[in-house]
Amino acid sequence: MKVEIIKCLEDNFSYILINEANRNCCVVDPGEADPIINYLQKNKLNLKYILNTHHHHDHVGGNEELKKKFNAEVIGYIGDKNRIPQIDICLSDGDIWKKDIFEAKIYHVPGHTIGHICFHFFKNKLIFTGDTLFSMGCGRIFEGSYEQMYNSLQVLKNLDKDTKIYCGHEYTLKNSEFCLSQDSNNNELLNKIREIKEKIKQGKTSMPSTIGEELNCNIFLKSNDLENFKKLRDLKDNF
Ligand code: ZN
Ligand code: FE
């Protein structure tokens, strides 16, 4: 399975997951349809599945057009079946979703929204974290509680360290400034910032990260108690 990173809207990432043997593919969080359609047509791919991490418009904005054009199925969290446009397949925490070569375990990770999920492609050792875990940050708490978000991050912390992370936004450098303000002597953080700046200079994105790198650099993952996490989240909201 090949992963293509597609930039959407202002700073969103969508991802196209490709079975190179039969040209079938999935898209994760199509915030808009056009950049996805362009890529699919240029590369002669058949879109079969649309995977949504949560219902926010910048993650589902392309659902309707893509479904209509390619006759693809929309997959999302059962609790959000009334707010994910065009949903066909409803998943619950712990489910394994499997079609073609694509196989993901679903983690319900409330906090940013109460219906947020992550798709863990465990055989490929990669996870799509949407707006729950960013590189060097975590999502704002819009609907859930601090405790829910904290617990959701603990689930992700327990994945193998070499698991690749693909998140919903290019916030990495901005996030790193906050990490640095809290953790200025962290050499791993300083190294990662250098690497990311180099990648972006070359026209690449900061994706993917890994769980191991985030455990070393992401101040929200380094936080080991809820009170401290709350404090950090509030500070970041006003940073
Ligand atoms: Zn969101
Ligand atoms: Fe978002």
Side-chain angles (χ1 to χ4, degrees), residues 103-107 118-128 159-160 163-164:
E103 184 170 8
K105 185 167 180 185
I106 307 307
Y107 301 120
C118 294
F119 293 88
H120 181 207
F121 287 76
F122 48 93
K123 288 187 176 158
N124 314 85
K125 288 210 153 190
L126 50 94
I127 185 163
F128 297 91
L159 298 173
D160 289 348
T163 307
K164 288 186 177 133

Side-chain angles (χ1 to χ4, degrees), residues 168-234:
H169 290 266
E170 182 61 283
Y171 291 160
T172 309
L173 278 183
K174 196 94 205 69
N175 285 339
S176 75
E177 289 169 22
F178 179 71
C179 290
L180 207 52
S181 75
Q182 300 298 314
D183 197 14
S184 56
N185 295 320
N186 181 341
N187 280 324
E188 272 127 347
L189 174 60
L190 292 166
N191 281 336
K192 186 164 167 78
I193 292 172
R194 261 194 297 275
E195 281 168 24
I196 301 292
K197 283 188 171 160
E198 189 50 40
K199 279 180 88 176
I200 287 178
K201 213 167 87 186
Q202 293 170 12
K204 297 180 191 157
T205 74
S206 65
M207 289 300 111
S209 185
T210 66
I211 294 290
E213 286 171 26
E214 294 305 318
L215 286 171
N216 288 333
C217 301
N218 186 330
I219 197 75
F220 295 100
L221 288 196
K222 291 180 83 175
S223 176
N224 278 319
D225 74 87
L226 178 60
E227 284 314 305
N228 171 259
F229 173 75
K230 271 186 192 170
K231 204 185 87 191
L232 288 169
R233 195 51 264 179
D234 287 343

Side-chain angles (χ1 to χ4, degrees), residues 18-25 43-47:
I18 304 167
N19 177 351
E20 293 183 285
N22 61 12
R23 312 303 289 162
N24 286 344
C25 68
N43 294 280
K44 302 201 168 25
L45 295 167
N46 323 307
L47 181 65

Side-chain angles (χ1 to χ4, degrees), residues 8-9 12-15 27-36 47 50-68 73-77 80-89 112-113 115-117 119 130-131 168-169:
C8 285
L9 304 169
N12 276 80
F13 291 128
S14 295
Y15 301 100
V27 63
V28 179
D29 283 355
E32 56 180 338
D34 283 352
I36 309 298
L47 181 65
I50 300 168
L51 313 181
N52 294 133
T53 62
H54 65 298
H55 75 287
H56 283 159
H57 190 73
D58 60 315
H59 299 256
V60 302
N63 277 18
E64 202 171 334
E65 199 179 336
L66 290 170
K67 178 173 171 172
K68 216 160 97 191
E73 283 183 321
V74 176
I75 290 115
Y77 182 58
D80 273 346
K81 66 176 191 289
N82 294 321
R83 33 185 215 177
I84 290 183
Q86 312 283 322
I87 193 165
D88 297 297
I89 296 178
H112 178 68
T113 67
H116 198 299
I117 56 174
F119 293 88
D131 290 357
H169 290 266

